[in-house]
């Protein structure tokens, strides 16, 4: 297990009295206050049950607790308990290669989605150029519509290629498709013309070959 080099502090229990603690590759930075958790454990369980039964949401509970004084005892107990959960996650992240790879893959998907949004916007999607909320919602809906249209076309194109391929090639193509995202737009002319006329909408999925760059 590699040593802890991150900025997030790791918490341990004061009751730990192992003789070889000094030889641990990962040392706790601070210690949790076990007493404050024990004194509010019933209240913590009650909140968990309320969330589990969907009588309210976790965000509503924490919004209400955040509105109180930071010296609120239940708020302090929940925050202390959360440090244990966070420390366990960091330790699993350090120790498990598979977990780190899964998180990295998910972050890559999120970044790809953000890049896709910026590419479709053809400008600065982080800035709203419309003052009215209704106009902003229309612009966002148009962005989603275009992205969904591109993804749909990608699926239709891949389907035609799979149907035309021989079994061996089809199996290899399936492996490649599963390893990649349908959010691909390098083959799309973002500055082209978007034709939503009735004539074009009546097209029965006539898939044209991709245009290669000269």
């Amino acid at each position: 297990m590699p040593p802890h080099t991150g900025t997030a502090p790791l918490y341990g229990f004061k009751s730990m009295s192992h003789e070889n603690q000094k030889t641990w590759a990962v040392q706790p930075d601070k210690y949790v206050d076990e007493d404050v958790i024990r004194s509010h454990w019933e209240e913590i369980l009650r909140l968990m049950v309320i969330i589990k039964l969907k009588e309210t949401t976790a965000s509503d509970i924490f919004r209400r607790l955040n509105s109180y004084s930071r010296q609120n005892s239940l708020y302090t107990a929940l925050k202390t308990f959360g440090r244990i959960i966070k420390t366990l996650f960091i330790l699993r992240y350090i120790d498990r290669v598979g977990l780190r790879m899964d998180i990295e893959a998910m972050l890559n998907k999120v970044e790809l989605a953000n890049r896709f949004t910026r590419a479709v916007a053809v400008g600065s999607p982080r800035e709203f150029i419309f003052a009215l909320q209704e106009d902003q919602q229309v612009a966002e809906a148009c962005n989603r519509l275009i992205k969904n249209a591109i993804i749909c076309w990608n699926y239709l194109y891949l389907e035609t290629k799979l149907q035309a391929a021989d079994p061996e090639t089809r199996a290899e193509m399936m492996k490649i498709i599963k390893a990649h995202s349908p959010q691909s737009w390098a083959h799309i002319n973002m500055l082209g013309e978007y034709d939503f006329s009735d004539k074009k909408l009546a097209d029965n999925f006539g898939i044209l070959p991709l245009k290669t760059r000269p």
Side-chain angles (χ1 to χ4, degrees), residues 176-206:
I176 297 174
I177 291 172
K178 290 180 180 179
H180 292 77
S181 170
Q183 295 183 107
S184 178
W185 64 93
H187 55 294
I188 302 295
N189 179 12
M190 294 297 184
L191 300 178
E193 178 182 351
Y194 298 94
D195 190 345
F196 296 101
S197 63
D198 292 338
K199 181 180 179 181
K200 289 295 182 181
L201 291 176
D203 189 351
N204 59 347
F205 307 119

Side-chain angles (χ1 to χ4, degrees), residues 12-25:
F13 294 97
K14 295 179 181 179
S15 57
M16 294 189 305
S17 58
H18 302 284
E19 295 181 358
N20 61 345
Q21 182 174 346
K22 293 182 180 180
T23 63
W24 292 356

